[in-house]
Amino acid sequence: MRFAFCNEGFGERPWRAVCSAIATAGYDGVEIAPFSLAVTVQDIPAHERVDLRATAHDAGLEVVGLHWLLVKPEGLHISHPDAKVRGRTRDYLCRLADFCGDLGGKVMVFGSPRQRSRTADASADDAWRWAAETFSSALPTVAERGVTLCIEPLGTEETDFITNAAEGRRLVDEIGHPNFRLILDVKAMSSEGSPVPDIIREQRDVLAHVHANDPNRQGPGFGDMDFHPILKALREISYDGYISVEPFEFVPDADTVAHKSVRYLQECLPA
């Protein structure tokens, strides 16, 4: 199994130093939050994209892809009643796919709870239909850039739209595009009430990415979640994608979290 670490916890540290820290900790890849680099990815010119990719490669890392897609710029929403808002959101998803492809990334993780939660004037059916239309209209560009867009089920404390793996699976099946798949997040799965390994096995045929974190919002090994059965289930289904460590709290610091998390995950690998 290959492990990656998300970059946003390193704050304002230069990209080269971030890549060095992640590689030194023992990871194979880096997952990028675009808002940590620029307000919009259009602000990142071609030569800087080449440098970002080369610097990661020089450190021994693969750019896995992108997450936290719509934190910036403001005003985007996949299921907003205003078609102009949805159109701008589709267009930005396409620009993100261009950016991801330029960096060699293969996955875009759509979490973005604020930019998907139902607005007060949208019914559940309308929100679902508009979200499906927004994603579907972006997928030709996503596919052209060799990227897979992944919908991430999140817990009810974060959003009211797609809050479990079964709903995410339903959207994947409805859209029916090979470049639209499911990402499963351990913290989110822990709120569903079913054993995490069972959820993984149930979604094996649509699973394209995994986020590793503890329900306490810290890294793997910093809380009570036992990752032994989780990695065992991933091995059983022959999962060959990345497991990206994505804490929400970096305590005491990103370097310590990176080192301890990957050591713990390696200890949990099935023999």
Side-chain angles (χ1 to χ4, degrees), residues 17-255:
V18 171
C19 291
S20 176
I22 293 173
T24 299
Y27 291 88
D28 308 293
V30 55
E31 186 171 320
I32 297 173
F35 75 86
S36 67
L37 302 178
V39 174
T40 75
V41 290
Q42 294 99 311
D43 294 336
I44 305 175
H47 72 276
E48 289 186 16
R49 299 180 186 206
V50 171
D51 287 346
L52 288 167
R53 182 174 182 172
T55 299
H57 182 267
D58 290 347
L61 297 175
E62 181 178 9
V63 176
V64 175
L66 311 177
H67 72 149
W68 283 100
L69 300 181
L70 302 185
V71 173
K72 297 178 182 176
E74 293 288 337
L76 302 179
H77 200 290
I78 59 169
S79 56
H80 197 279
D82 188 336
K84 293 181 180 177
V85 173
R86 302 199 303 275
R88 289 197 297 271
T89 305
R90 174 207 57 217
D91 292 345
Y92 193 63
L93 289 173
C94 292
R95 301 295 75 78
L96 286 167
D98 288 335
F99 180 62
C100 189
D102 287 347
L103 268 57
K106 301 300 183 186
V107 297
M108 294 191 345
V109 174
F110 191 92
S112 300
R114 287 179 51 208
Q115 294 82 12
R116 71 199 239 188
S117 292
R118 284 174 51 198
T119 59
D121 47 353
S123 70
D125 288 344
D126 282 342
W128 184 275
R129 176 169 55 84
W130 289 330
E133 289 174 354
T134 302
F135 286 135
S136 295
S137 62
L139 283 171
T141 300
V142 170
E144 182 180 336
R145 296 311 310 261
V147 175
T148 296
L149 179 58
C150 301
I151 182 67
E152 181 177 29
L154 295 173
T156 54
E157 76 279 8
E158 296 176 291
T159 184
D160 60 0
F161 190 73
I162 304 183
T163 57
N164 57 64
E167 289 183 334
R169 169 59 177 269
R170 179 185 155 210
L171 187 63
V172 169
D173 289 343
E174 183 173 311
I175 289 178
H177 193 289
N179 292 78
F180 191 76
R181 287 290 181 265
L182 189 68
I183 179 268
L184 291 176
D185 175 285
V186 172
K187 171 182 174 296
M189 285 189 283
S190 71
S191 68
E192 290 200 26
S194 299
V196 170
D198 289 353
I199 297 172
I200 290 171
R201 294 185 185 97
E202 290 168 358
Q203 308 303 337
R204 61 193 303 163
D205 57 324
V206 294
L207 180 61
H209 197 58
V210 173
H211 274 168
N213 39 34
D214 193 273
N216 69 3
R217 302 175 64 84
Q218 298 184 41
F222 285 79
D224 296 331
M225 177 61 74
D226 181 3
F227 276 73
H228 288 86
I230 295 172
L231 297 189
K232 182 173 183 288
L234 290 169
R235 177 69 60 81
E236 286 175 3
I237 67 170
S238 300
Y239 175 74
D240 61 357
Y242 268 95
I243 300 170
S244 286
V245 173
E246 190 216 26
F248 297 90
E249 297 176 6
F250 295 84
V251 180
D253 54 69
D255 297 272

